[in-house]
Amino acid sequence: MIRYLGRRLWQMIPILFGVSLGIFAFIHALPGDPARLLAGPEASGQDVAAMRARLGLDRPLVYQYLYFVRNAAAGDFGRSFRSGEPVVRILATHFVPTLVLSAASITLAVCAGLGVGILQGIRRNSVPDYLSTVVSVAGISTPTFFLGLLLIYLFSVDLHWLPTGGMGAGLRSLVLPAVTLAAEPAAALARFTRSSLLEVLGEDFVRTARAKGAGERRVLARHSLRNALIPVVTLLGLQVGFLISGAIVVETVFSWPGLGWLMIQSIAFRDYPVLTAEILLFAVEFLVINLAVDLLYAALDPRVTYA
């Protein structure tokens, strides 16, 4: 297991190198000049050229990339074009709100998705199953931004129960963005858990356990759920990654000052250092999530081993 973990961590290095190269080329291909945005619309050509020199944008693109890689390997991602603050400090400031929002959304999605999916599997073709199916399909089909605006209108504008955005109201501010972000993955988890559980409940080893006199709760907890959750773990890992990327939309709708909100601001101002470091951070998160899913397989299924 240790050798496998070390090998996977070592494989992340060339992946991140390739990702950084693609990010760097894509960002610099975006229309718009950061120097012109910072110098102002009425700045002269000399002022813009001086600004480009100060930002280091007058150097060849290859040199800029190699300079970035060398500093990034040492943990230095440069300074923001917009504010002049170190990029690491900016990311750390906005990482905490995103972490809080993602943790709350993941908790809601897992609890609701697995709970509803198990209920659907146990009560197949019942009224709760049909109602849960309708809600799940609606949750998957509804765009995140539309659901967010709908919840704002209902609970903030109409009922005045919850704030429209920001973090000023503490936990009350977290309710709407967390529910909005968790809706789609919870619905997907519910549908997938139902299908997986129904498939396992029809296996021979489940019928054998029942024939030996095992109670229904024991059959469900000891034999069915553990095997049904193995494929669900894969979907859960993907959904966690989508939660992180989906936070961009939700944070923008609810003015939540996290990494998603920061990314939109960085794109608007062509803040290359912040944007590059932030996308790299998302790539690292996806790689870590995939590694955690692979390790979780071994915990759920003893037949899975990693040498």
Side-chain angles (χ1 to χ4, degrees):
M1 179 67 75
I2 300 300
R3 291 178 57 188
Y4 172 78
L5 182 60
R7 187 167 66 250
R8 287 290 300 271
L9 292 175
W10 179 257
Q11 291 173 353
M12 289 183 182
I13 296 177
I15 294 175
L16 289 176
F17 181 80
V19 170
S20 67
L21 181 60
I23 293 170
F24 202 85
F26 174 76
I27 289 177
H28 283 75
L30 290 174
D33 187 358
R36 168 62 67 182
L37 292 174
L38 291 173
E42 298 180 357
S44 63
Q46 291 182 345
D47 294 335
V48 174
M51 180 63 69
R52 289 182 60 85
R54 185 172 72 85
L55 298 176
L57 297 175
D58 59 332
R59 299 171 181 175
L61 196 59
V62 174
Y63 177 87
Q64 294 182 45
Y65 175 70
L66 294 177
Y67 182 79
F68 166 78
V69 170
R70 187 195 68 179
N71 291 342
D76 180 13
F77 291 91
R79 291 180 174 271
S80 167
F81 287 171
R82 184 183 179 190
S83 65
E85 295 183 63
V87 172
V88 174
R89 184 188 304 170
I90 296 175
L91 293 182
T93 301
H94 292 274
F95 180 76
V96 175
T98 295
L99 180 63
V100 172
L101 177 59
S102 299
S105 302
I106 291 170
T107 302
L108 285 175
V110 170
C111 293
L114 293 183
V116 172
I118 293 172
L119 175 64
Q120 289 179 306
I122 297 174
R123 304 287 299 276
R124 181 183 182 183
N125 297 331
S126 64
V127 174
D129 183 23
Y130 292 138
L131 291 177
S132 301
T133 299
V134 172
V135 174
S136 298
V137 173
I140 296 174
S141 305
T142 305
T144 303
F145 74 90
F146 178 77
L147 178 60
L149 294 175
L150 185 63
L151 293 179
I152 288 175
Y153 176 79
L154 179 60
F155 292 100
S156 299
V157 178
D158 192 13
L159 298 177
H160 303 286
W161 288 356
L162 297 168
T164 57
M167 297 181 62
L171 291 178
R172 294 177 65 247
S173 301
L174 182 62
V175 175
L176 292 184
V179 171
T180 302
L181 189 57
E184 192 276 335
L189 280 175
R191 298 300 299 159
F192 202 77
T193 302
R194 178 187 185 274
S195 300
S196 181
L197 183 58
L198 287 176
E199 182 178 351
V200 171
L201 287 174
E203 294 290 340
D204 291 338
F205 67 87
V206 175
R207 287 193 291 267
T208 302
R210 287 171 174 164
K212 290 182 178 180
E216 196 63 28
R217 289 187 179 180
R218 181 179 177 86
V219 170
L220 181 64
R222 188 84 178 268
H223 302 280
S224 302
L225 276 181
R226 185 167 185 175
N227 290 278
L229 287 179
I230 294 175
V232 175
V233 167
T234 303
L235 179 65
L236 179 59
L238 293 174
Q239 291 300 325
V240 171
F242 288 135
L243 276 177
I244 297 172
S245 59
I248 298 174
V249 176
V250 174
E251 288 181 1
T252 303
V253 171
F254 290 95
S255 300
W256 190 266
L259 293 175
W261 179 86
L262 176 64
M263 177 173 287
I264 298 300
Q265 298 297 314
S266 300
I267 293 174
F269 287 92
R270 302 298 187 273
D271 201 339
Y272 294 163
V274 175
L275 197 55
T276 304
E278 190 170 359
I279 298 176
L280 270 179
L281 178 60
F282 286 154
V284 171
E285 290 174 345
F286 270 97
L287 291 174
V288 171
I289 290 169
N290 287 332
L291 178 58
V293 168
D294 290 342
L295 296 178
L296 193 56
Y297 275 146
L300 292 173
D301 190 350
R303 297 172 297 177
V304 178
T305 58
Y306 297 111

